[in-house]
Amino acid sequence: MIVTIDGVAASGKSSVASGVARALHVPYLSSGLLYRAATWAALQHGLPLDTPEAEGPLLDLLHAQTQAGTPLDLRPLPEGNQVWQAGRDISEALHTAEVDAHVSAAAVLPGLREWVNAQLRALTPPFLAEGRDMGSTVFPHADHKFYLHASARVRAERRVKERAQDVDSVEAALKLRDERDVRQSAPAPDAIHIDTGSGTLPEIIAQVLAHLPAPSAT
Ligand SMILES: Nc1ncnc2c1ncn2[C@@H]1O[C@H](COP(=O)(O)OP(=O)(O)OP(=O)(O)O)[C@@H](O)[C@H]1O
Ligand SMILES: Nc1ccn([C@H]2C[C@H](O)[C@@H](COP(=O)(O)O)O2)c(=O)n1
């Protein structure tokens, strides 16, 4: 079984995916973390990301890391996905304002999208996949598809509880990222839409689970 959970930035995708995956006893995959990891790697190496010409050097870097035995390694742990590289957990570095500001530029590069999608499609179901285009493009034949949304204000208020930032600037940054990600963020036509602003996290997880078959007793 494949379940996809897509949605706008900070709509609760990874929190909901984690809760649902735990209830179903299956892994979940955070595709956004792979885009963030590639962005982080580019920033570390001083590679620009804001032109179509950025794609070649970025893909060269990712392939060189793989050849050297130090690839960006997504680990789909039930309590939260991690990315490791060269024996180091780099996950915390992927949720900074700097990565947030550049990740949309990286995510429009077609070669990077292929790099991410190939890694996800190589995995054997059952799993949940969360991101923007999991249900529309990467796994169009998924068994169950969800699309999460909430107002930019609600999302910003939640985000400032995780990061010491001003709510107005976080809201503006979220709106900007929504605009820049719009091309790959169109919901799959058969996705069930859920407003995560209208319930607590356990309530939203229960809403999703109500649409899914009960987990097999093992
Ligand atoms: N229904 C909810 N009620 C209250 N808080 C929530 C709810 N859903 C998510 N949150 C909180 O909102 C914040 C953002 O959630 P999360 O990181 O899961 O979103 P995301 O869509 O994966 O974000 P990003 O797009 O940045 O990867 C977290 O602090 C999370 O705990
Ligand atoms: N399937 C995906 C997942 C993510 N992205 C891009 C767009 C986001 O701005 C960025 C970070 O994702 P997030 O952590 O907010 O889920 O990655 C995408 O284009 N497609």
Side-chain angles (χ1 to χ4, degrees), residues 49-88:
L49 286 169
D50 46 8
T51 67
E53 290 72 45
E55 181 172 283
L58 175 58
L59 294 179
D60 288 348
L61 172 65
L62 298 174
H63 292 141
Q65 289 178 337
T66 302
Q67 292 296 313
T70 57
L72 294 168
D73 173 20
L74 178 69
R75 299 191 182 177
L77 304 178
E79 63 273 21
N81 280 206
Q82 295 178 352
V83 180
W84 285 65
Q85 191 194 31
R88 193 159 71 95

Side-chain angles (χ1 to χ4, degrees), residues 13 31-32 35-36 103 107 113 132-134 177 181 184:
K13 299 180 298 295
S31 57
Y35 288 101
R36 287 176 179 275
V103 65
R113 302 202 71 78
R132 300 292 185 292
D133 58 347
M134 296 298 100
R177 198 144 64 88
D181 294 336
Q184 65 268 31

Side-chain angles (χ1 to χ4, degrees), residues 133-178:
D133 58 347
M134 296 298 100
S136 60
T137 305
V138 184
F139 301 112
H141 304 300
D143 304 274
H144 303 276
K145 302 179 185 180
F146 297 90
Y147 197 88
L148 308 186
H149 58 94
S151 73
R153 192 66 184 180
V154 165
R155 290 182 280 142
E157 281 166 355
R158 288 174 176 169
R159 193 96 297 164
V160 292
K161 290 183 189 155
E162 304 173 301
R163 300 181 196 171
Q165 281 175 294
D166 156 68
V167 69
D168 289 328
S169 57
V170 172
E171 183 180 0
L174 284 173
K175 285 179 173 169
L176 186 62
R177 198 144 64 88
D178 289 348

Side-chain angles (χ1 to χ4, degrees), residues 9-15 36 158-159 162 196 199-201 204:
S11 54
K13 299 180 298 295
S14 53
S15 310
R36 287 176 179 275
R158 288 174 176 169
R159 193 96 297 164
E162 304 173 301
T196 67
T200 64
L201 192 48
I204 303 297

